[in-house]
């Protein structure tokens, strides 16, 4: 049909502020997540999602399954990495060309899994006890694969709990007086590279350290005999005789914050007296260390104290750390203070990966969702630590998602190739090429040809 002004009628939309602009909608040939292809390349080099098919059991018994388990797993993990934390997002993602090529197989030329298929996969198949246990172990297996490329000399483990607010009638969702909300209370173990070694979903009203041993033991077993030294850091919630004894039996060096009491305060009473003279306009820090044995301890242990006098404050800030490390008190405090990065990684998981989105009704289904979010977080962190060029090495996962993953691209199909025409905005061609080069350097080299 021809318009009366001579222009052909089409599905394009016009904008009145400038009639030269036409809007065309080509959803099947345009993607807003082309940067995910770099993460898929890293996944291929390390063999991460392929590993899942070795550990997860497929509940289907027939031969007419449209999507392979590995493809469904990739759609779950990569979708969360790109910020699509809800199963309903599969309605859009199943047609997205970047996601279809990331999944591979039949999805590349057809479409990915629908919301109903993804719902069954995550809540029924992965919710089985065997698969949920395998998912909990998978993060550690992924990290071992990364360390196989770049072995660390030592490992520092940080354990901390967090809050995942709930807004419905989810199973085991309970009021927590500390956080003042109805929530779950998950527990996390990170290493010094920001990788999430292990996590577990817990009811909202449990103690911060509840289940710490079952979380920590599998991580310790994985590293025994592989690294020279293992360290552990924890806040006052983990100041328990059982934790000290377990770590000492495994020959792990630890620094754990110790709640203050009158006996500890008395041991450093000489540091709590306000210094004579006019206070300076800077923080004054004093350190002390001594041997202390609480009534529930089987033996005395070393305690390090830090006292800070801040300008304008009447009383000092005091902290105690129980440790089996022999380094000077100031260095023990500096080592413990780095535990704050663990809290930052938890914030990144909440902000970039949305792992607090636990909206299923059953507790098992929400436990599966947390593990899938954890795997997505680790995949994002692997690229950040292994394959980011120097200009973007300090970017957060949120920045990488918004600037690297969210690259728009137009897809052009030829006889032999499919071309993603990438937009150059935050990530230019040279930087993307550097990312792919760093990923390629992680690929195992073929054995030399015989002479």
């Amino acid at each position: 049909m021809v318009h009366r002004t001579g222009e052909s009628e089409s599905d394009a939309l016009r904008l009145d502020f400038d009639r030269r602009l036409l809007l065309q909608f080509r959803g099947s040939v345009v993607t807003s997540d082309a940067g995910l292809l770099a993460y898929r390349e890293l996944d291929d080099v390390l063999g991460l999602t392929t590993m899942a098919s070795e550990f997860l059991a497929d509940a289907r018994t027939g031969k007419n399954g449209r999507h392979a388990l590995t493809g469904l797993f990739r759609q779950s993990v990569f979708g969360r990495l790109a910020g699509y934390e809800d199963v309903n997002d599969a309605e859009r993602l199943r047609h997205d060309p970047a996601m279809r090529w990331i999944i591979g197989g039949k999805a590349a030329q057809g479409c990915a899994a629908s919301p109903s298929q993804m719902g069954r996969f995550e809540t029924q198949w992965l919710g089985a006890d065997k698969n949920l246990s395998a998912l909990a172990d998978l993060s550690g297996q992924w990290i071992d694969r990364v360390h196989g490329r770049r072995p660390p000399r030592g490992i520092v483990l940080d354990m901390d709990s967090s809050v995942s607010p709930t807004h419905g009638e989810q199973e085991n969702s309970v009021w927590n007086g500390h956080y003042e909300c109805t929530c779950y209370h998950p527990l996390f173990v990170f290493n010094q590279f920001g990788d999430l070694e292990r996590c577990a979903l817990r009811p909202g009203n449990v103690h911060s350290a509840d289940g710490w041993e079952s979380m920590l033991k599998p991580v310790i077993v994985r590293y025994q005999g592989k690294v020279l030294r293992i360290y552990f850091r924890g806040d006052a919630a983990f100041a328990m005789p059982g934790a000290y004894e377990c770590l000492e039996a495994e020959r792990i060096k630890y620094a754990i914050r110790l709640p203050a009491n009158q006996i500890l305060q008395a041991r450093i009473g000489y540091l709590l007296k306000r210094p004579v003279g006019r206070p300076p306009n800077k923080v004054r820090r004093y350190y002390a260390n001594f041997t202390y044995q609480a009534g529930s301890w089987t033996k005395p242990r070393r305690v390090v104290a830090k006292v800070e006098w801040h300008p304008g404050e009447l009383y000092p800030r005091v902290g105690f750390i129980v440790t089996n490390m022999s380094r000077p008190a100031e260095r023990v405090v500096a080592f413990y203070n780095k535990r704050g990065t663990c809290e930052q990684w938890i914030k990144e998981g909440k902000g970039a990966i949305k792992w607090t989105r636990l909206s299923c009704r059953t507790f098992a289904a929400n436990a599966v969702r947390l593990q899938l979010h954890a795997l997505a977080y680790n995949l994002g962190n692997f690229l950040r630590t292994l394959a980011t060029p120097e200009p973007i090495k300090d970017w957060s996962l949120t920045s990488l998602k918004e600037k690297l993953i969210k690259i728009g691209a137009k897809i052009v199909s030829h006889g032999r190739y499919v071309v993603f025409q990438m937009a150059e905005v935050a990530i230019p061609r040279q930087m993307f090429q550097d990312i792919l080069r760093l990923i390629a350097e992680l690929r195992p080299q073929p054995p030399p040809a015989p002479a």
Side-chain angles (χ1 to χ4, degrees):
M1 180 178 179
V2 179
H3 196 270
R4 60 185 179 183
T5 59
E7 298 174 352
S8 61
E9 192 75 34
S10 69
D11 61 352
L13 303 179
R14 281 192 178 275
L15 297 173
D16 289 335
F17 78 90
D18 193 326
R19 300 293 291 175
R20 294 173 296 177
L21 298 180
L22 296 176
L23 305 182
Q24 293 183 336
F25 293 83
R26 299 287 187 268
S28 61
V29 295
V30 175
T31 179
S32 61
D33 303 312
L36 280 177
L37 297 172
Y39 292 84
R40 179 65 180 92
E41 183 75 359
L42 178 64
D43 168 38
D44 180 68
V45 168
L46 299 175
L48 300 179
T49 56
T50 303
M51 185 191 303
S53 61
E54 302 172 7
F55 292 91
L56 300 176
D58 195 336
R60 296 170 295 183
T61 56
K63 297 183 178 180
N64 60 345
R66 184 173 183 181
H67 300 286
L69 184 144
T70 305
L72 295 169
F73 182 75
R74 283 179 185 149
Q75 186 169 342
S76 290
V77 173
F78 280 86
R80 285 170 167 81
L81 182 60
Y84 304 105
E85 71 277 4
D86 201 338
V87 170
N88 293 335
D89 293 320
E91 186 60 43
R92 173 200 177 284
L93 289 178
R94 68 193 303 243
H95 302 292
D96 186 273
M99 183 59 67
R100 289 192 287 109
W101 281 98
I102 284 170
I103 294 170
K106 298 179 181 179
Q109 303 298 334
C111 61
S114 66
S116 60
Q117 291 170 319
M118 293 304 300
R120 288 192 298 271
F121 172 68
E122 293 187 7
T123 60
Q124 296 179 16
W125 302 356
L126 296 184
D129 292 341
K130 183 178 180 180
N131 280 338
L132 182 54
S133 177
L135 276 178
D137 293 334
L138 197 55
S139 285
Q141 302 295 332
W142 280 17
I143 294 171
D144 287 345
R145 188 66 63 88
V146 170
H147 290 173
R149 301 292 196 276
R150 295 183 180 179
R153 296 187 61 187
I155 287 293
V156 181
L157 300 176
D158 291 306
M159 181 176 282
D160 202 359
S161 64
S162 183
V163 58
S164 292
T166 54
H167 307 282
E169 296 182 359
Q170 290 99 313
E171 186 180 8
N172 288 336
S173 172
V174 188
W175 174 266
N176 186 299
H178 175 74
Y179 295 110
E180 297 183 344
C181 66
T182 303
C183 63
Y184 289 124
H185 195 185
L187 186 62
F188 302 93
V189 180
F190 292 87
N191 62 31
Q192 72 267 35
F193 308 108
D195 304 324
L196 181 51
E197 294 277 355
R198 202 171 183 87
C199 65
L201 189 65
R202 306 176 301 174
N205 60 348
V206 300
H207 185 266
S208 295
D210 186 73
W212 69 268
E213 190 170 6
S214 60
M215 279 274 290
L216 190 60
K217 279 287 186 69
V219 180
I220 294 174
V221 170
R222 280 186 28 244
Y223 282 117
Q224 283 178 334
K226 297 180 181 179
V227 294
L228 295 177
R229 179 69 70 183
I230 303 176
Y231 299 88
F232 176 85
R233 291 184 294 226
D235 61 17
F238 303 95
M240 302 176 295
Y244 310 146
E245 294 167 3
C246 173
L247 295 169
E248 290 163 356
E250 300 291 348
R251 297 183 179 181
I252 295 175
K253 298 295 184 181
Y254 62 83
I256 300 175
R257 189 174 183 87
L258 193 63
N261 58 46
Q262 292 183 353
I263 298 177
L264 295 175
Q265 296 275 7
R267 295 294 297 271
I268 59 168
Y270 63 97
L271 294 177
L272 302 181
K273 297 179 181 179
R274 190 170 186 84
V276 178
R278 187 170 184 176
N281 292 323
K282 62 179 182 179
V283 179
R284 289 170 291 177
R285 293 182 179 90
Y286 303 95
Y287 301 90
N289 68 94
F290 51 88
T291 302
Y292 168 75
Q293 182 175 358
S296 59
W297 297 3
T298 57
K299 65 177 183 179
R301 293 181 171 89
R302 183 190 182 199
V303 173
V304 171
K306 181 183 73 168
V307 178
E308 290 184 343
W309 290 91
H310 287 253
E313 295 184 7
L314 185 60
Y315 298 103
R317 303 180 187 180
V318 183
F320 298 96
I321 298 171
V322 58
T323 182
N324 61 349
M325 303 169 67
S326 59
R327 62 182 66 179
E330 187 173 354
R331 291 183 56 196
V332 171
V333 173
F335 170 77
Y336 174 81
N337 286 344
K338 292 180 181 178
R339 197 195 68 83
T341 55
C342 172
E343 298 175 359
Q344 182 62 36
W345 294 324
I346 291 176
K347 290 180 181 178
E348 285 196 329
K350 291 180 178 181
I353 310 298
K354 310 291 185 185
W355 68 29
T356 57
R357 184 64 181 269
L358 305 175
S359 54
C360 293
R361 185 161 189 175
T362 66
F363 185 76
N366 284 320
V368 168
R369 287 177 63 84
L370 179 63
Q371 297 297 338
L372 291 171
H373 280 98
L375 292 167
Y377 167 89
N378 275 333
L379 180 56
N381 194 61
F382 292 158
L383 187 133
R384 175 172 61 177
T385 56
L386 298 174
T388 47
E390 198 61 37
I392 63 173
K393 211 157 190 63
D394 296 328
W395 281 12
S396 66
L397 293 185
T398 301
S399 295
L400 287 172
K401 183 181 75 172
E402 294 175 350
K403 298 179 182 180
L404 174 59
I405 293 178
K406 297 298 181 180
I407 294 178
K410 178 182 178 182
I411 291 79
V412 179
S413 298
H414 300 288
R416 295 177 58 188
Y417 301 102
V418 174
V419 180
F420 279 70
Q421 297 179 345
M422 315 277 279
E424 287 189 276
V425 183
I427 304 293
R429 180 188 185 279
Q430 183 59 48
M431 186 174 293
F432 204 95
Q433 183 178 0
D434 290 340
I435 293 172
L436 296 181
R437 174 182 56 79
L438 292 170
I439 293 174
E441 292 175 357
L442 299 171
R443 194 177 292 277
Q445 298 298 320

